[in-house]
Amino acid sequence: SLSLKYIRRFITMAASSESVRLPSGIDTLVGADVSLEVLTQKIQSVSAPLPSLLPRNWIPPLECASSLNEDGPAFRVMQFNMLAEGLSMGGNFKPPFATQSDGSPLSESSYGGFSEVHKPEVCFDFVEVRRWRLLEEILRVDADIIALEEIDHFSDFFEPALKKCGYEGVFVPKASSPCCQFGYFSDGVALFWRTTKFRLFISPPLPSDSKEENSSPSNHITLAQTPSPVVVSALEHISSSQVFVVGVTHLKAKPGNTNEERRKNQIDSVLNMMDKVAQSLQKVDRPGLMLLGDFNTDSFDVKEEPKKKKRNLSIFSDDGVDVTAVASSVEDETQP
């Protein structure tokens, strides 16, 4: 399709950058000849001797409950920062690269600062344990839309594994991933959707006598690496034909006014991308807007600028699968 060709071309271009390191090939344990039954058995065998996963509580978007359309489509969304392999490994594990992407020596790896975790050499063993438990966590939630941050094994593991479970996905690597400092692959953000519930929205072709430039079907998806990794895509809820513009991002980490200003600029950029995708939709009245991500900050009120109008925007935070807030973004009333 047009969308998948664009996605592959973008990822190929991103991978050609010297600062981006991506896995090649597909892990044989999730290869094309591996059935869903075998995959499920593998997850269960890894998890059997280990403690149960922590319980999750679902929190509805209470602040906008009064404005929700009860007749609208119901679906489940998962927002999850996975903690990249490259940011959680210890010095006893050998990374795939001997130097940083620029050739400089590797930084010392110490379980991402989580060395006090019980048996970190087991908990953070990505190949033997952690990737399977991450997959278990994702699948037990049974979400229709999944947003992932710090994913550094998209094409070789999670994408083929989740495809067996009925999902399609899009990935954008960070332009400069901290994982590379420790000799690991670049992490980024990904958006997955259950193909029986959602599909990439494609605008129908315009009439042949139309004066518009776009007279052929077009997809509505935006991928960007800067100022933060971003996936923005228009997804159509199949049974209701309702269209949602979904954004996934991972904002700058660490506290301080300087970094807070960077996060503000990053989120402004993401909202602008979402607006552009929403405005590009043909014959779609008031598409739903949904922003998911690890924002690395607490929410707080900002003073509205003059000549702005509110737009309802569902925001899903970085704390697992819980819906923590529903807020409003603003757009300039002078814009079309």
Side-chain angles (χ1 to χ4, degrees):
S1 70
L2 293 173
S3 298
L4 293 179
K5 287 181 181 178
Y6 165 67
I7 292 165
R8 293 191 186 102
R9 186 167 63 250
F10 178 91
I11 294 176
T12 300
M13 180 180 67
S16 65
S17 169
E18 293 183 357
S19 63
V20 174
R21 286 174 161 174
L22 300 179
S24 61
I26 296 176
D27 192 294
T28 56
L29 294 177
V30 294
D33 58 337
V34 176
S35 67
L36 177 57
E37 180 181 4
V38 170
L39 177 66
T40 303
Q41 291 173 350
K42 174 63 176 178
I43 294 172
Q44 292 172 344
S45 67
V46 171
S47 299
L50 301 173
S52 299
L53 295 172
L54 293 174
R56 300 279 189 178
N57 295 319
W58 288 90
I59 302 176
L62 297 177
E63 294 184 23
C64 74
S66 61
S67 64
L68 291 178
N69 180 5
E70 294 183 357
D71 297 326
F75 54 89
R76 180 174 292 190
V77 177
M78 180 185 194
Q79 155 53 36
F80 190 29
N81 183 321
M82 306 173 70
L83 181 57
E85 176 194 25
L87 299 179
S88 60
M89 299 298 281
N92 54 319
F93 292 95
K94 183 179 179 180
F97 300 99
T99 64
Q100 296 188 36
S101 53
D102 62 0
S104 58
L106 298 179
S107 299
E108 182 179 356
S109 183
S110 58
Y111 300 112
F114 299 105
S115 56
E116 297 301 316
V117 170
H118 182 61
K119 294 186 177 180
E121 70 282 358
V122 175
C123 294
F124 294 116
D125 186 337
F126 190 83
V127 173
E128 298 297 329
V129 178
R130 205 164 157 265
R131 60 178 178 170
W132 301 105
R133 301 229 74 185
L134 287 169
L135 199 53
E136 178 188 7
E137 172 75 338
I138 293 170
L139 294 177
R140 73 160 176 163
V141 170
D142 195 30
D144 301 307
I145 294 177
I146 304 169
L148 302 175
E149 296 82 46
E150 292 195 17
I151 176 171
D152 50 1
H153 285 277
F154 175 85
S155 63
D156 64 321
F157 185 78
F158 288 102
E159 191 272 338
L162 290 173
K163 186 175 183 179
K164 298 179 188 299
C165 305
Y167 294 93
E168 286 186 351
V170 185
F171 169 73
V172 171
K174 292 177 181 176
S176 181
S177 169
C179 297
C180 296
Q181 300 175 19
F182 305 101
Y184 290 89
F185 297 111
S186 301
D187 71 306
V189 301
L191 171 66
F192 287 91
W193 58 93
R194 192 194 303 275
T195 55
T196 55
K197 278 287 190 76
F198 287 92
R199 61 189 168 209
L200 289 174
F201 178 76
I202 305 293
S203 284
L206 296 173
S208 57
D209 59 350
S210 172
K211 296 181 180 180
E212 297 287 341
E213 292 184 6
N214 176 26
S215 59
S216 61
S218 61
N219 55 281
H220 303 275
I221 185 167
T222 297
L223 310 176
Q225 290 181 285
T226 57
S228 62
V230 179
V231 172
V232 176
S233 179
L235 297 179
E236 180 180 9
H237 188 261
I238 295 172
S239 63
S240 69
S241 298
Q242 173 71 44
V243 178
F244 296 85
V245 176
V246 184
V248 182
T249 192
H250 190 180
L251 304 185
K252 171 66 181 175
K254 299 181 180 179
N257 293 335
T258 300
N259 287 326
E260 194 65 26
E261 184 64 24
R262 289 184 64 180
R263 285 187 284 269
K264 175 185 176 299
N265 293 334
Q266 288 174 335
I267 206 65
D268 283 345
S269 177
V270 175
L271 293 176
N272 286 335
M273 292 179 194
M274 293 179 69
D275 277 340
K276 288 181 179 179
V277 170
Q279 292 167 15
S280 73
L281 303 177
Q282 299 169 15
K283 299 181 180 179
V284 176
D285 183 35
R286 295 173 63 85
L289 299 179
M290 185 161 43
L291 176 60
L292 307 99
D294 183 344
F295 306 134
N296 275 309
T297 187
D298 295 324
S299 59
F300 55 89
D301 293 333
V302 295
K303 184 179 179 181
E304 287 187 28
E305 299 178 18
K307 296 184 180 181
K308 298 278 184 173
K309 65 179 180 181
K310 290 186 177 181
R311 170 176 285 171
N312 288 331
L313 175 71
S314 295
I315 300 180
F316 295 73
S317 81
D318 57 338
D319 293 324
V321 298
D322 295 340
V323 180
T324 59
V326 174
S328 294
S329 68
V330 293
E331 63 173 359
D332 195 328
E333 288 183 340
T334 62
Q335 296 297 316

